[in-house]
């Protein structure tokens, strides 16, 4: 069957389509049906089945003949280490660690925050948590203590599992002081922590509160606890329009069924083959395609601790692909832009045998045609853009390589996957003609594996996603659909920006800037950046009485954002202005600021933290009557 037939088979009978996909999962009790309608626009999948995530990711492969197959390859150019963990070893380590958690009181439904770098123990922690029916919430290591504290207060975890440190190419990031700081700030106090000591920077442990990972690793093993299909496997926080992140919930059964389906149909890998997503477990790509998808499907996954360039050079990706015989590779366009900048003619690519590689997948931000063309020419395999969100957990639109390779249209992540009816709507909620720009919305119900609601925030879920267009889920993206049904994702319709494939809220950065004592008013916009896609740029109006050097205030604001949100915000530049451009009703004209800044930014060599460019932006605003010092 080709794509059209598969998509039509889903449209004709979604219930049968998903029940058939569910047969690939090991159930303790199979579900009686797929879709459960809860009313009010809320849906769940496979709710009355009983199942365990960890069993399907690990134990069933050990029983099914893959015990000696490598499950996880750890490749860490920043530490010079490599490790291979078979499914049998993974089972032993996960079962023991889960036993250690259970012995310390972690039970079904308890939340456990995981704050770790890219080490295999991050996956072991995730799998151990779901093994005993607890719910994990992984927090990206590039977030600062305050962001971690916000998540602690929302998820109210009984425990936090962390590492003593993470390793960035230019520095060691001690996680333990950040963790201690977060627990200090948070209202909710977890009962205990577990710390993986890293040789590069071990941490001091508080006896009785901070447990060494090694203690739990030696615990008596426990088995997999079957949970209801609609039991949450995890919560993953993502940026919304305010400083309060959205806790996306992932239910157990739909997650299993959907991700397992994508491994062959989209990524075209068979069990036993090596699949690599170069992301981080702190992001949804890391959840779905470093940890769960490949393991559900019996693949070998790679945990890569490093950067595409500089660890040690722009050939790292190709070395890993060649050395471990990666068949399907997934990364963000920004990573390719970083490599392309260092190695435009692909000299490093020529050094490696990449004959095993079948395809490259890009997501997380708009894939610019230049980058796709470069990758296609250099790698000589299909380079497939696909579009998704933390909320959906896997691709809404893709080119389903395992079904058939559809013609690639540059600038388009191709066509909707089964489960998704994607419409482009006008402001009144009516579908627009092909080629017309509108809000991208997905007809309800969303398919299995997507978010059923937000943690602790059902009203926010309804307001953010369901209110604008009755009967639809609002994606927050704007775009067009062409005559052939190909989608083009053009921009966000909210205040979310995308920095190096990382989703950030300008509202959250504004909240931090506004807390500076000399800042009277501020705005943050995303401006185009040749490497990271977008970068945040601040506009600051200082208090009337503030007799301060504006450069000093900007420097303090940059530090404040780094300390409060974290280095991942990449907030490096701000312009001090007299007034913000506003409409008569007082609404900030962000569009005006974006177009002024983008006009300048396009000329830039690499980043906007160049004083000359900031001066130009200020002058441009001045000519409109808004800029000041
Ligand atoms: N822990 C602590 N700090 C971290 C971190 C982590 N896990 N991850 C990133 N940071 C820091 C970086 O060191 C950097 O700090 P700096 O300002 O002191 O240099 C800052 O956060 C910004 O990080 P990043 O945006 O990753 O920029 P970079 O310059 O280090 O690397 C790329 C740029 C393009 C190479 C890198 O962003 C990349 O490979 N991106 C891939 C995108 C990705 O994984 N997306 C996930 C969705 S697919
Ligand atoms: P995240 O939740 O971090 O995965 O970010 C999701 C957002 O990233 C989407 O809503 C889009 O705005 C953007 N995005 C992700 N993938 C793509 C893509 N392939 N093309 C364009 N934008 C994308």
């Amino acid at each position: 069957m080709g794509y059209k037939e598969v998509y039509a088979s889903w449209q004709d009978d979604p219930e049968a389509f998903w029940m058939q996909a569910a047969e690939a999962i090991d159930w303790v009790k199979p579900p009686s049906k797929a879709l459960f309608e809860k009313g009010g626009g809320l849906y769940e999948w496979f709710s009355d089945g009983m199942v365990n995530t960890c069993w399907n990711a690990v134990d069933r492969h050990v029983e099914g003949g893959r015990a000696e197959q490598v499950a996880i390859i750890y490749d860490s150019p920043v530490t010079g280490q490599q490790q291979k963990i078979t499914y049998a070893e993974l089972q032993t380590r996960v079962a023991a660690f889960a036993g250690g958690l259970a012995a310390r009181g972690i039970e079904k439904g308890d939340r456990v925050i995981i704050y770790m770098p890219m080490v295999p123990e991050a996956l072991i922690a995730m799998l151990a948590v779901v093994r005993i029916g607890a719910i994990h919430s992984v927090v990206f290591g590039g977030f600062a203590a305050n962001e971690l504290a916000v998540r602690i207060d929302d998820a109210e975890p009984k425990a936090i599992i962390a590492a003593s440190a993470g390793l960035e190419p230019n520095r060691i990031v001690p996680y333990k002081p950040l963790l201690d700081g977060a627990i200090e700030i948070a209202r909710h106090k977890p009962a205990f922590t577990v710390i993986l000591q890293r040789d590069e920077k071990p941490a001091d442990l508080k006896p009785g509160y901070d447990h060494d990972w090694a203690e739990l690793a030696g615990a008596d093993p426990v088995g997999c606890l079957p949970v209801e299909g609609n039991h949450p496997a995890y919560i993953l926080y993502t940026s919304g329009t305010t400083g309060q992140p959205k806790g996306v919930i992932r239910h157990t059964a739909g997650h299993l069924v959907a991700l397992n389906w994508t491994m062959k149909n989209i990524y075209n890998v068979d069990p036993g083959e090596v699949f690599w997503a170069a992301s981080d477990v702190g992001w949804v790509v890391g959840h779905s395609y470093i940890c769960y998808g490949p393991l559900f499907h019996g693949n070998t996954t790679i945990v890569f601790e490093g950067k595409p360039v500089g660890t040690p050079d722009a050939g790292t990706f190709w070395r890993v692909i060649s050395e471990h015989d990666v068949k399907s590779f997934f990364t963000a366009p920004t990573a390719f832009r970083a490599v392309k900048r260092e190695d435009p003619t692909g000299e490093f690519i020529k050094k490696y045998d990449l004959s095993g590689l079948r395809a490259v997948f890009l997501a997380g931000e708009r894939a610019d045609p230049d980058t796709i063309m470069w990758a296609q020419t250099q790698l000589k395999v299909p380079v497939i853009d696909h579009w998704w969100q933390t909320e959906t957990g896997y691709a809404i639109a893709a080119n389903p390589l395992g079904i058939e390779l559809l013609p690639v249209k540059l600038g388009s992540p191709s066509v909707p996957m089964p489960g998704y009816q994607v419409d482009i709507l006008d402001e009144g909620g009516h579908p627009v003609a092909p080629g017309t720009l509108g809000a991208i919305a997905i007809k309800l119900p969303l398919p299995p594996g997507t978010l059923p609601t937000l943690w602790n925030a059902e009203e926010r879920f309804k307001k953010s996603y369901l209110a604008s267009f009755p009967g639809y889920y609002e994606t927050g993206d704007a775009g067009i659909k062409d005559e052939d049904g190909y989608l083009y994702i053009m921009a966000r319709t909210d205040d979310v920006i995308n920095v190096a494939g990382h989703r950030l809220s300008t509202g959250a950065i504004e909240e931090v800037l506004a807390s500076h004592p000399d800042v009277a008013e501020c705005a943050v916009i995303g401006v185009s950046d040749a490497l990271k896609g977008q970068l945040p740029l601040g506009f600051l109006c200082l208090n009337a009485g503030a007799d301060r050097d504006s450069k000093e205030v900007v420097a303090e604001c940059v530090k404040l954002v780094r300390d409060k949100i974290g280095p991942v915000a990449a907030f490096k530049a701000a312009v001090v202005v007299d007034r913000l451009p506003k409409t008569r009703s007082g609404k900030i004209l962000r569009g005006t600021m974006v177009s002024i800044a983008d006009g300048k930014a396009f000329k830039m060599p690499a980043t906007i933290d160049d004083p000359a460019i900031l001066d130009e932006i200020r002058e441009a605003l001045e000519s409109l009557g808004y800029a000041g010092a």
Side-chain angles (χ1 to χ4, degrees):
M1 271 204 291
Y3 161 74
K4 280 208 168 99
E5 291 76 34
V6 175
Y7 191 79
S9 77
W10 162 72
Q11 276 180 314
D12 290 349
D13 193 346
E15 185 71 17
F17 183 91
W18 291 119
M19 284 303 270
Q20 197 192 341
E23 286 171 15
I25 296 305
D26 271 14
W27 300 89
V28 176
K29 175 176 161 269
S32 64
K33 58 176 186 156
L35 183 65
F36 288 72
E37 191 165 351
K38 296 188 66 197
L42 303 182
Y43 299 87
E44 292 178 353
W45 292 90
F46 310 113
S47 309
D48 66 357
M50 294 297 287
V51 67
N52 182 277
T53 298
C54 186
W55 173 271
N56 278 279
V58 183
D59 301 60
R60 71 158 165 169
H61 301 308
V62 176
E63 294 218 336
R66 299 191 179 280
E68 297 316 313
Q69 182 194 313
V70 173
I72 299 175
I73 298 172
Y74 170 53
D75 188 311
S76 169
V78 288
T79 60
Q81 284 183 54
Q82 285 203 9
Q83 217 186 95
K84 289 187 176 164
I85 302 172
T86 63
Y87 272 102
E89 287 161 352
L90 186 61
Q91 183 188 40
T92 304
R93 292 178 68 176
V94 170
F97 192 75
L101 291 174
R104 280 160 187 76
I106 303 294
E107 294 174 352
K108 182 182 177 193
D110 287 341
R111 275 80 60 208
V112 177
I113 280 187
I114 299 173
Y115 184 57
M116 294 183 90
M118 283 296 292
V119 288
E121 285 83 355
L123 276 65
I124 290 172
M126 292 162 79
L127 293 163
V129 168
V130 293
R131 187 175 186 87
I132 55 177
I135 303 167
H136 63 67
S137 186
V138 182
V139 178
F140 178 60
F143 282 121
N146 199 56
E147 287 291 316
L148 180 55
V150 168
R151 287 153 176 79
I152 293 174
D153 278 335
D154 197 65
E156 301 189 318
K158 201 181 250 185
I160 301 189
I161 305 170
S164 59
L167 300 168
E168 285 297 288
N170 53 355
R171 66 186 192 282
I172 293 177
V173 183
Y175 280 17
K176 184 62 175 27
L178 296 170
L179 174 63
D180 291 345
I183 295 174
E184 174 95 33
I185 302 168
R187 285 187 315 278
H188 172 84
K189 306 292 177 196
F192 66 94
T193 78
V194 182
I195 308 293
L196 175 74
Q197 293 284 25
R198 302 199 77 189
D199 294 343
E200 292 76 11
K201 180 99 188 148
D204 291 336
L205 304 185
K206 284 191 280 304
Y209 189 73
D210 299 322
H211 301 275
D212 193 316
W213 175 283
E215 273 175 47
L216 280 81
D220 290 338
V222 290
C224 298
L225 182 78
V227 298
E228 300 74 18
N230 60 356
H231 181 70
Y234 72 76
I235 305 164
L236 178 58
Y237 288 89
T238 189
S239 300
T241 39
T242 65
Q244 180 66 31
K246 293 168 166 172
V248 167
I249 298 177
R250 197 80 61 212
H251 280 175
T252 301
H255 183 228
L256 279 159
V257 173
L259 288 193
N260 187 65
W261 184 89
T262 62
M263 292 307 298
K264 177 64 191 170
N265 291 287
I266 298 183
Y267 300 104
N268 195 26
V269 284
D270 288 313
E273 292 182 330
V274 182
F275 179 87
W276 179 27
S279 177
D280 188 289
V281 284
W283 308 114
V284 68
V285 173
H287 279 66
S288 295
Y289 293 111
I290 295 174
C291 186
Y292 291 117
L295 296 181
F296 293 163
H297 196 242
N299 291 103
T300 299
T301 186
I302 298 185
V303 172
F304 171 75
E305 189 182 30
K307 299 269 169 171
V309 291
T311 57
D313 54 37
T316 307
F317 275 180
W318 325 127
R319 197 260 310 148
V320 173
I321 291 171
S322 159
E323 196 171 323
H324 305 303
D325 196 20
V326 172
K327 297 293 178 205
S328 224
F329 175 50
F330 181 162
T331 190
T334 187
F336 271 7
R337 288 196 294 271
V339 175
K340 179 176 148 218
R341 196 167 66 168
E342 302 250 320
D343 184 20
T345 52
E347 297 311 310
F348 281 105
I349 297 177
K350 291 174 197 143
K351 287 189 186 174
Y352 296 98
D353 174 9
L354 301 181
S355 55
L357 183 69
R358 287 187 207 123
V360 170
F361 291 83
L362 298 176
E365 56 171 330
R366 187 173 169 272
D368 51 294
D370 274 0
T371 302
I372 296 191
M373 298 275 282
W374 174 82
Q376 237 159 24
T377 313
Q378 299 297 337
L379 297 169
K380 301 177 183 64
V381 294
V383 176
I384 294 175
D385 180 17
H386 60 329
W387 167 60
W388 48 301
Q389 313 183 305
T390 306
E391 287 86 342
T392 64
Y394 62 102
I396 307 165
N399 196 326
L401 193 58
I403 299 175
E404 68 170 318
L405 177 64
L406 299 170
V408 173
K409 294 196 189 187
L410 283 179
S412 167
S414 304
V415 291
M417 290 297 89
Y420 294 100
Q421 181 189 320
V422 182
D423 287 327
I424 312 291
L425 305 179
D426 64 18
E427 279 182 5
H430 306 294
V432 299
T436 312
L437 183 70
I440 313 182
I442 303 167
K443 193 103 182 144
L444 294 174
L446 292 176
T450 59
L451 85 170
T453 183
L454 292 173
W455 183 256
N456 282 341
E458 191 142 297
E459 279 317 303
R460 186 178 184 191
F461 172 75
K462 290 182 176 168
K463 199 162 161 256
S464 312
Y465 301 108
L466 308 182
S468 300
F469 306 115
Y472 282 95
Y473 163 88
E474 185 182 6
T475 64
D477 284 316
I480 57 179
K481 193 165 28 168
D482 74 8
E483 300 281 354
D484 301 325
Y486 277 60
L487 293 165
Y488 293 78
I489 318 303
M490 311 302 283
R492 289 287 304 187
T493 56
D494 54 14
D495 297 328
V496 165
I497 59 171
N498 202 311
V499 179
H502 308 142
R503 177 164 155 185
L504 294 171
S505 155
T506 54
I509 302 176
E510 285 169 4
E511 283 176 25
V512 174
L513 295 176
S515 73
H516 188 287
D518 294 324
V519 172
E521 201 180 13
C522 63
V524 174
I525 57 167
V527 298
S528 301
D529 179 79
L531 175 65
K532 297 197 177 185
Q534 282 185 302
L535 275 178
L537 173 63
F539 291 84
L540 309 171
C541 301
L542 303 190
N543 283 319
D547 184 20
R548 297 282 316 275
D549 175 354
S550 55
K551 283 206 181 64
E552 264 177 40
V553 179
V554 167
E556 288 164 14
C557 283
V558 166
K559 181 167 182 313
L560 198 60
V561 173
R562 194 177 171 93
D563 290 349
K564 285 269 160 92
I565 296 184
V568 66
F571 184 80
K572 305 249 159 111
V575 185
V576 173
V577 296
D578 278 344
R579 285 180 295 139
L580 295 173
K582 284 186 187 168
T583 60
R584 276 204 195 148
S585 59
K587 205 166 175 284
I588 296 174
L589 288 164
R590 286 160 196 281
T592 306
M593 295 194 288
V594 171
S595 53
I596 289 174
D598 262 358
K600 307 298 162 196
F602 277 132
K603 287 192 281 171
M604 68 191 175
T607 62
I608 49 159
D609 53 352
D610 174 345
I613 290 171
L614 294 178
D615 277 345
E616 279 188 48
I617 293 172
R618 192 171 15 247
E619 278 162 25
L621 275 170
E622 206 163 60
S623 69
L624 295 175
Y626 295 110

